[in-house]
Amino acid sequence: MYPSIAPSILAADFANLQSEVKMLNNSKADFIHVDIMDGVFVPNISFGIPVTEAIYKHAQKPLDVHLMIVEPDKYLEAFRKAGAEVISVHYEACPHLHRTLQAIHLLGAKAGVAINPHTPIELLSEVIADIDVVCVMSVNPGFGGQKFIENTYSKIDRLKELILSKNSKAQIEIDGGVNAQNAPKLIERGADILVAGSFVFNSDDPIKTIADLKSIRTKD
Ligand code: DX5
Ligand code: ZN
């Protein structure tokens, strides 16, 4: 099985977004990962709905929107209208997570739940059957270019077990510090989707970097 690759547009050249999106269209990327930061849930501000719409206008790949914001319920419809195919909310930002997942599904989007590095996988046990994508944060959210947290590997093992035990169809997405060194191990442990920002956009040939990540194969 080959992994899905979701380059994070956060690491792109924002002054040339159209050409960056076109580059991703011409690559083997499976999704465009769109990082939304509000300066409250995370200590950084990225961009919001109008920029997501602008990306969507040129995108030929589905948008995987990662909401690093408080009170995400208020903005689900707006991001869906802006083109989100997958909407991921943070476990830590959702006091009524089950309701939020229902709301995302009602909008016709896939529902993702992102979990911070300190959040135990087990906290998803009662909703795992309702989740399409679990986004395991392998850095503390807020910034691109951070160092991968090694504890992520064992979290993937526990998440895989949970998914199997509850007959869930959830895919495992890894977000933060992904590169050619850790990608094979992540895929081997059970990651389905790899988000990569700086590793892709800071490389000399992003199209090749995406193809190289995509070509990493597991045995089955
Ligand atoms: C971190 C974001 C990530 C980030 C990944 O808060 O959620 O998607 O852009 O960037 P890299 O691959 O540079 O760690
Ligand atoms: Zn992200």
Side-chain angles (χ1 to χ4, degrees), residues 33 35 66 68 137 175 195:
H33 186 83
D35 284 310
H66 177 192
M68 286 163 272
M137 293 308 302
D175 187 5
V195 176

Side-chain angles (χ1 to χ4, degrees), residues 33-93:
H33 186 83
V34 179
D35 284 310
I36 309 295
M37 304 176 180
D38 67 353
V40 180
F41 181 70
V42 287
N44 194 13
I45 298 174
S46 58
F47 52 80
I49 295 150
V51 174
T52 305
E53 269 168 4
I55 294 166
Y56 181 59
K57 204 168 130 199
H58 300 287
Q60 289 163 9
K61 312 270 181 176
L63 301 191
D64 171 33
V65 174
H66 177 192
L67 297 180
M68 286 163 272
I69 64 176
V70 295
E71 301 190 66
D73 303 73
K74 285 184 181 171
Y75 304 100
L76 298 175
E77 192 175 354
F79 279 105
R80 176 65 175 150
K81 283 191 177 144
E85 183 81 27
V86 182
I87 302 178
S88 293
V89 294
H90 262 266
Y91 171 87
E92 302 82 7

Side-chain angles (χ1 to χ4, degrees), residues 9-18 20 46-47 51:
I9 203 84
L10 184 69
D13 176 359
F14 286 177
N16 291 296
L17 261 189
Q18 183 173 346
E20 297 281 54
S46 58
F47 52 80
V51 174

Side-chain angles (χ1 to χ4, degrees), residues 98 101-102 105 111-113 126-133 168 170:
H98 183 266
L101 295 171
Q102 282 181 316
H105 282 142
V113 177
E126 304 306 324
V127 283
I128 193 72
D130 304 299
I131 299 176
D132 300 299
V133 180
S168 164

Side-chain angles (χ1 to χ4, degrees), residues 85-193:
E85 183 81 27
V86 182
I87 302 178
S88 293
V89 294
H90 262 266
Y91 171 87
E92 302 82 7
C94 294
H96 306 287
L97 183 59
H98 183 266
R99 181 184 287 153
T100 304
L101 295 171
Q102 282 181 316
I104 297 172
H105 282 142
L106 272 176
L107 292 167
K110 289 203 168 137
V113 177
I115 54 167
N116 280 341
H118 75 277
T119 301
I121 288 295
E122 292 68 28
L123 291 173
L124 296 179
S125 68
E126 304 306 324
V127 283
I128 193 72
D130 304 299
I131 299 176
D132 300 299
V133 180
V134 177
C135 179
V136 179
M137 293 308 302
S138 39
V139 297
N140 286 293
F143 304 92
Q146 301 182 83
K147 192 174 173 290
F148 178 84
I149 296 171
E150 299 283 323
N151 186 53
T152 308
Y153 297 119
S154 68
K155 281 184 102 168
I156 299 176
D157 295 345
R158 291 194 294 282
L159 177 54
K160 193 97 209 164
E161 258 174 48
L162 179 64
I163 289 171
L164 289 173
S165 74
K166 300 271 184 176
N167 243 331
S168 164
K169 301 243 179 322
Q171 290 200 296
I172 302 175
E173 178 176 55
I174 307 299
D175 187 5
V178 172
N179 57 37
Q181 273 72 52
N182 53 32
K185 209 166 149 191
L186 291 167
I187 295 161
E188 197 55 50
R189 296 295 265 261
D192 301 297
I193 306 168

